[in-house]
Amino acid sequence: MSRRSSDPRADVVDGPLRPGDHLDRTEDRLDTAARERDQSDGVAQPALGFVGWLRWGWRQLTSMRTALVLLLLLAIAAIPGSLVPQRSADPNGVTQWRATNPDLYPTFDALQLFDVYTSVWFSAIYILLFISLIGCVLPRTKHHWKALRARPPRTPARLSRLADHAETTVPVPEGEDAAGHAAHAVDLAEAQLRSARYRVERYDRNGVASVSAERGYLRETGNLVFHGALVGVLLSVGIGGGFTYTGQTVITEGDGFVNSLGLGYTSFNPGRFVDTEALTPYSITLDRFDVTYAPGSGQAGDFAAHVTTRFPGQDPEDQVIEVNHPITMAGDRVYLMGNGYAPTITVRNGAGDVVFSESVPFLPQSATMTSQGVVKIPDTGGEQLGMVGFFYPTVAELDTGALTSAYGDLLDPRLTFFVYEGDLGIDDGTPRSVYALDTDGMTEIAGRNADAPSLELSPGQTVDLPGGRGTVTFEDERSAGAPESVKRYISLSIHNDSSATWVLVFAILAMLGLFTALFVPRRRMWVKATPDGDEVRIEYAGLARGEDPAIAVAVADLARRHADTLGEEPASAPVSPANVD
Amino acid sequence: MSFDDISVLLLWTAIAVYTLGFLAFTVDLARRSELAIVAQDAKAQAQARTLVAAGGGQTIDEIRAEEAAAKVALEAAPSQRGRFLFARLGVVLTTIAWLFHLGADVTRGIAAGRVPWSNNYEFALTGTLLVVAVFLGVLVKYDLRFLGAFINGLIVVLLGGAALAYYVEVVPLSDPLKSVWLVIHVFVASLASAFLAIAFALSVVQLLQSRRERLALAAVGTDAAPRTRLPFLRTLPSADVLESLAYRFAIIGFVLWTFTLIAGAIWANDAWGRYWGFDTKEVWTFVIWVVYAGYIHARATRGWRGTRSAWLSIVGFTAVLFNFTIVNQFFQGLHSYSGLPS
Ligand code: HEM
């Protein structure tokens, strides 16, 4: 079994350094004094003074109990972030939450419940935890460094007091003296332990030979590597964040993107130390976007964006971006995040002049790609126009008469518009989403609340705007040589995070450290031979340092194999009390 | 009949046989209870006959002897184990049920043309398969048959629940799931859960046992015979032994869970362009990891070993189950490929 609380540890000092309230704490004198002080808590405590209090506080912070409480607090504190939408992961969720709970919102916001993982309270917990961790690991590392070069400790006087213990007596062969035979037996044991990768030290005294052996220093090394690597992960994430940037962009078939802040991105979030002027100006052009539709369910999949990438002054290259398979451009990783339809719309004013002609990306609203998009026309020659459109790649009519899309592919595309006239609200410089129309300052001129019905178009069709304001055309791209009537677009996410490699390295280190810390047994073994008349009494004992389910078996094995190598039938078979408590 | 129909049929057969296994193991526990009571009564009678003054309470020596015997029984080689008829029947039934279960899982995989662990229904199928596999595998080393009723009961509830509430037809994978990491990450997560499940079962028994031990020790030297509603506990290993056994399963589970966490981050980095984003599923994976780190610390902290750390193991596995059921079903997260960033 594993260690027992009744182990006579007083005999065997100097294990790995543990916090004061660790079960396995080795009891050196200094610490006993500290503990006595702790125990006198409240009772006529000696005045500690400022430095004394600091030391007391530090000892509390770096104790096992504090680490444990902080760990449990960390687990609890992480939970709200899964119940309440987070600004970092789901900004729209936060907006929605605010709309449905307007009364609670200010309180929740004040408590930083929408930014749990950057909140003061969450940060406080993990920062304290890591201070505790560092304060705990540094002295242990120093101690372990010394222990690595120290010799195994002196053989305890009474091995029989150890829980895992076996004993046998062997006769001294003709012509040898007892002490000589004892030394010989221990020589054999020493060789045996050494070949089992124990570090060994002989302690022969007054004719009594003994060897002290220890193995499994790797256990403590693993523990320290594990805890140290956790600090490494935290630092990589924290420092690396400053050098990370992420950006989003949307590309329609036939169009391109240039990696430059002004030109390419729809949104861009640089870390503190990112030089946004120094981006490599590569470009990506979307040649074709492939989707397959599963027979039956019609589920879309196997998304593949066929792109041409170019670095200035180099030959273009054809590449494919797929989900799970980003491409790498100058250290940036380029991910396929989404896709949709971008119907090409041409609007002419009453005089017949083209006032708008673009492929407009529509945001998918459903699995069957019912999509919504917005057209804003500031310069019509008259009042500004805004149109809110719905696109159905395979149109179908619901019982209510409303339209929907029955399938994700372009089987029977249809486009509808509500049209508004008035102030688009973009002249005053307020940033507006290209996917939303603020209709506050506008009048609906075609649609549900207007005299004229909403516009409805199939590819290639042109319809009139009400009141002679002009026409709207839903271009059929096939007439321009495209394979499909409506162009598709992709949204890309572009990331540069060089710290990710470091995070991975530390994570793997942590994993390896953990493995050794948990599964390498650390144990001490002793073999002692005491001459006793014309016999030699041989004792074997083991002591587990930390969890070690196999210690009893190990001692029994040692005794058996030693008896075998001694080459003689033992006078009495080794008795191992290890298995019977 | 399609492979998927066969799979469902095999699954219900497995559930039925697991239920029989559960009954056999329950009878086994009841019979152990009887044995324990008979022993107690015999002792009481003997005492009455010889007019010993001491009452029904056990002596310390008797308690220790009982514990030592239970420990020897726990570690006995399969051929030297107590020949509990119903426990053996339970093992046989569980093994048969497991084979049906394996068949259900494999045919589901064939029907889907991929690994059978890519939606809740399939996670449940494979996860419980691994729990039983680990349980049966461990029986070779330790005589944990006393957990049989608990494990079979748990499996019947989880599998039955999954078959009723989570069943979905085979559909093609969504794009982010088409990754080797699906194979690795999800499988290792299920395997981790299997080890944590056994640790959990052992921790529960540990709590029951340590309560009984407290009562038994309190009754030493008194007239009152210690009363426990679960007398079979007297034939099981001591709370200490159960605890270190639970710990051994928990640390294996924990290492696997650590791997799950890292593999998930690598996958997220490929699929979503960031390795960590505190998505709901990520949050819960992290919470579980931290709880078990707490458990390991608790085991090494003065005043926390024993009952308190056992509660942490129980909380940890509850979180695993919660993560799998409630979080998967009801929490908003990134784990679907919707189309566009908004
Ligand atoms: C980020 C916070 C922490 C985490 C996630 C963590 C996790 C772990 C894990 C998984 C183990 C078991 C593996 C091993 O033995 O190496 C462990 C052990 C240990 N940790 Fe931590 N730890 C943290 C902080 C701390 C702190 C602050 C201390 C110091 C008070 C500490 C002291 C120890 C000790 C002494 C052990 C060995 C336990 C034993 O003897 O079995 N840890 N920790």
Side-chain angles (χ1 to χ4, degrees):
Chain A
M1 221 43 247
S2 63
R3 63 194 127 130
R4 265 148 270 232
S5 47
S6 59
D7 282 349
R9 258 152 235 267
D11 285 354
V12 253
V13 290
D14 212 23
L17 184 67
R18 292 320 198 192
D21 55 348
H22 189 285
L23 266 182
D24 212 17
R25 172 69 171 165
T26 36
E27 326 211 340
D28 48 273
R29 239 168 300 132
L30 250 173
D31 202 63
T32 316
R35 235 195 6 268
E36 275 159 9
R37 199 153 2 117
D38 283 351
Q39 280 164 355
S40 66
D41 252 17
V43 195
Q45 223 171 35
L48 277 175
F50 181 64
V51 177
W53 278 111
L54 275 184
R55 282 166 80 179
W56 178 85
W58 181 246
R59 216 173 30 243
Q60 294 306 308
L61 184 61
T62 56
S63 73
M64 286 301 276
R65 193 166 296 127
T66 308
L68 174 58
V69 168
L70 286 172
L71 272 171
L72 298 181
L73 274 179
L74 186 70
I76 295 170
I79 294 175
S82 72
L83 303 171
V84 179
Q86 298 295 296
R87 285 209 176 88
S88 57
D90 182 13
N92 281 352
V94 179
T95 317
Q96 260 170 31
W97 199 94
R98 177 181 201 162
T100 33
N101 308 283
D103 296 339
L104 276 179
Y105 179 83
T107 321
F108 272 50
D109 199 29
L111 291 173
Q112 298 180 297
L113 282 171
F114 302 107
D115 307 281
V116 165
Y117 306 105
T118 49
S119 69
V120 176
W121 41 276
F122 190 80
S123 310
I125 296 173
Y126 78 75
I127 289 171
L128 275 178
L129 184 59
F130 274 87
I131 293 176
S132 166
L133 179 57
I134 293 167
C136 179
V137 161
L138 284 185
R140 279 170 59 194
T141 309
K142 191 169 144 226
H143 184 92
H144 187 53
W145 182 250
K146 279 197 213 133
L148 277 178
R149 282 165 309 158
R151 307 310 306 166
R154 185 170 295 284
T155 312
R158 275 171 295 165
L159 286 180
S160 54
R161 281 176 53 195
L162 289 165
D164 297 299
H165 169 251
E167 199 174 317
T168 180
T169 45
V170 295
V172 179
E174 291 295 323
E176 268 186 59
D177 70 335
H181 192 59
H184 171 67
V186 172
D187 285 347
L188 287 180
E190 187 183 341
Q192 190 180 325
L193 285 164
R194 203 193 293 276
S195 72
R197 307 214 291 124
Y198 279 82
R199 181 178 296 181
V200 294
E201 184 77 7
R202 279 293 280 269
Y203 291 101
D204 292 1
R205 226 174 49 193
N206 306 335
V208 178
S210 75
V211 60
S212 169
E214 177 153 15
R215 58 148 294 157
Y217 295 83
L218 213 53
R219 186 184 184 92
E220 177 73 354
T221 310
N223 182 304
L224 294 171
V225 166
F226 168 76
H227 286 89
L230 291 186
V231 180
V233 168
L234 189 76
L235 287 183
S236 313
V237 172
I239 299 173
F243 296 96
T244 300
Y245 57 82
T246 62
Q248 276 76 38
T249 189
V250 168
I251 313 179
T252 310
E253 279 175 320
D255 275 356
F257 152 85
V258 178
N259 185 33
S260 144
L261 205 48
L263 298 172
Y265 289 99
T266 52
S267 70
F268 191 79
N269 307 310
R272 201 171 308 150
F273 311 119
V274 173
D275 179 1
T276 50
E277 301 301 310
L279 302 182
T280 313
Y282 58 80
S283 73
I284 301 175
T285 308
L286 179 63
D287 304 319
R288 194 177 88 237
F289 181 69
D290 287 349
V291 193
T292 58
Y293 297 90
S297 70
Q299 185 187 317
D302 296 326
F303 305 108
H306 298 262
V307 297
T308 304
T309 56
R310 281 184 195 81
F311 285 101
Q314 288 179 25
D315 287 339
E317 195 184 340
D318 290 337
Q319 301 203 62
V320 184
I321 314 178
E322 290 165 294
V323 180
N324 274 320
H325 300 285
I327 61 169
T328 304
M329 298 288 292
D332 292 356
R333 301 238 288 169
V334 183
Y335 295 86
L336 177 62
M337 296 304 285
N339 68 87
Y341 290 103
T344 308
I345 297 151
T346 306
V347 180
R348 292 182 173 76
N349 65 11
D353 301 328
V354 173
V355 292
F356 183 91
S357 184
E358 259 177 51
S359 299
V360 182
F362 274 47
L363 291 178
Q365 312 286 309
S366 74
T368 49
M369 300 299 280
T370 297
S371 312
Q372 192 183 358
V374 163
V375 173
K376 294 178 188 176
I377 314 167
D379 305 312
T380 59
E383 291 245 44
Q384 294 184 329
L385 278 183
M387 310 201 292
V388 177
F390 286 90
F391 176 71
Y392 313 95
T394 300
V395 73
E397 202 170 316
L398 294 173
D399 292 342
T400 59
L403 298 183
T404 184
S405 176
Y407 196 70
D409 203 2
L410 290 170
L411 298 186
D412 183 9
R414 192 71 50 86
L415 187 59
T416 65
F417 281 116
F418 295 112
V419 186
Y420 299 85
E421 188 179 60
D423 181 10
L424 286 171
I426 53 180
D427 299 334
D428 57 2
T430 327
R432 302 270 178 209
S433 163
V434 292
Y435 297 112
L437 184 69
D438 180 1
T439 56
D440 280 354
M442 310 191 81
T443 339
E444 190 168 337
I445 55 170
R448 229 175 278 132
N449 307 314
D451 294 341
S454 55
L455 314 183
E456 192 173 328
L457 302 108
S458 297
Q461 211 180 344
T462 300
V463 297
D464 288 334
L465 285 164
R469 288 177 179 89
T471 61
V472 177
T473 308
F474 177 12
E475 306 287 352
D476 186 340
E477 287 291 339
R478 280 172 303 196
S479 59
E484 293 183 303
S485 58
V486 181
K487 283 191 186 177
R488 295 173 190 260
Y489 74 91
I490 57 173
S491 63
L492 295 180
S493 193
I494 294 161
H495 296 234
N496 191 305
D497 184 358
S498 39
S499 66
T501 317
W502 286 104
V503 176
L504 182 64
V505 167
F506 281 120
I508 290 174
L509 260 182
M511 178 84 207
L512 296 177
L514 184 66
F515 199 84
T516 41
L518 289 176
F519 299 116
V520 171
R522 176 162 192 175
R523 51 175 80 124
R524 291 192 176 144
M525 290 283 193
W526 293 276
V527 179
K528 181 150 95 179
T530 315
D532 187 8
D534 55 358
E535 289 186 324
V536 173
R537 188 157 53 89
I538 305 181
E539 291 169 274
Y540 310 89
L543 179 66
R545 317 294 300 154
E547 206 77 27
D548 185 358
I551 178 86
V553 177
V555 173
D557 265 4
L558 173 71
R560 192 170 29 77
R561 283 198 299 130
H562 184 245
D564 288 349
T565 37
L566 208 50
E568 296 181 13
E569 276 306 297
S572 56
V575 278
S576 165
N579 281 323
V580 268
D581 269 9
Chain B
M1 221 157 106
S2 72
F3 273 110
D4 194 36
D5 295 334
I6 297 174
S7 168
V8 171
L9 206 65
L10 288 171
L11 180 65
W12 282 108
T13 315
I15 293 174
V17 185
Y18 278 130
T19 311
L20 293 178
F22 169 75
L23 292 176
F25 279 124
T26 313
V27 171
D28 171 55
L29 290 182
R31 292 182 51 131
R32 292 190 197 209
S33 292
E34 239 162 67
L35 281 179
I37 290 170
V38 167
Q40 204 168 30
D41 290 352
K43 184 185 156 217
Q45 274 171 11
Q47 279 171 346
R49 230 175 292 128
T50 53
L51 297 173
V52 176
Q58 292 172 291
T59 65
I60 292 274
D61 285 348
E62 283 167 341
I63 292 178
R64 295 286 170 247
E66 224 171 62
E67 283 179 4
K71 179 154 184 281
V72 169
L74 173 75
E75 289 168 359
S79 58
Q80 284 152 16
R81 284 180 193 160
R83 301 169 64 80
F84 303 114
L85 178 65
F86 278 92
R88 289 165 78 188
L89 185 62
V91 174
V92 170
L93 287 171
T94 308
T95 311
I96 295 172
W98 186 79
L99 291 172
F100 279 114
H101 190 170
L102 180 67
D105 206 41
V106 169
T107 43
R108 172 77 182 189
I110 295 172
R114 53 169 161 74
V115 289
W117 51 82
S118 41
N119 53 47
N120 254 21
Y121 173 68
E122 296 172 7
F123 299 150
L125 218 60
T126 306
T128 47
L129 186 75
L130 290 173
V131 173
V132 182
V134 171
F135 174 65
L136 290 175
V138 163
L139 285 185
V140 176
K141 188 151 168 16
Y142 299 109
D143 187 359
L144 289 186
R145 288 178 295 177
F146 59 87
L147 285 186
F150 193 105
I151 298 286
N152 277 46
L154 186 74
I155 297 301
V156 169
V157 170
L158 290 180
L159 264 190
L164 294 175
Y166 289 155
Y167 177 78
V168 284
E169 309 249 312
V170 171
V171 289
L173 289 182
S174 68
D175 269 27
L177 288 179
K178 290 174 188 154
S179 165
V180 283
W181 291 109
L182 170 69
V183 180
I184 302 168
H185 165 81
V186 181
F187 181 79
V188 175
S190 309
L191 192 60
S193 311
F195 279 93
L196 297 177
I198 308 244
F200 161 73
L202 285 164
S203 296
V204 171
V205 182
Q206 177 200 333
L207 284 183
L208 297 173
Q209 185 69 305
S210 83
R211 198 183 102 86
R212 186 195 67 84
E213 283 171 5
R214 253 194 337 272
L215 295 178
L217 283 178
V220 166
T222 68
D223 271 354
R227 275 286 147 222
T228 161
R229 261 165 296 157
L230 301 168
F232 67 83
L233 286 173
R234 283 180 58 183
T235 66
L236 303 192
S238 68
D240 266 358
V241 171
L242 289 169
E243 172 170 13
S244 47
L245 210 53
Y247 177 77
R248 267 174 255 169
F249 285 98
I251 57 177
I252 297 173
F254 181 74
V255 169
L256 293 170
W257 196 262
T258 309
F259 180 84
T260 303
L261 199 75
I262 297 173
I266 297 174
W267 187 6
N269 196 36
D270 281 350
W272 300 319
R274 87 286 182 291
Y275 53 83
W276 195 264
F278 282 110
D279 183 57
T280 44
K281 205 66 194 178
E282 291 167 348
V283 171
W284 279 92
T285 306
F286 174 73
V287 167
I288 290 165
W289 188 77
V290 174
V291 169
Y292 278 102
Y295 166 73
I296 292 174
H297 276 210
R299 286 256 317 154
T301 307
R302 232 177 253 158
W304 277 77
R305 184 172 276 214
T307 303
R308 282 195 192 178
S309 70
W311 276 111
L312 284 180
S313 152
I314 292 170
V315 168
F317 188 70
T318 313
V320 170
L321 283 183
F322 182 81
N323 187 24
F324 164 67
T325 53
I326 312 292
V327 176
N328 275 2
Q329 248 185 309
F330 299 112
F331 283 38
Q332 284 283 325
L334 241 189
H335 288 69
S336 61
Y337 190 68
S338 59
L340 249 202
S342 24

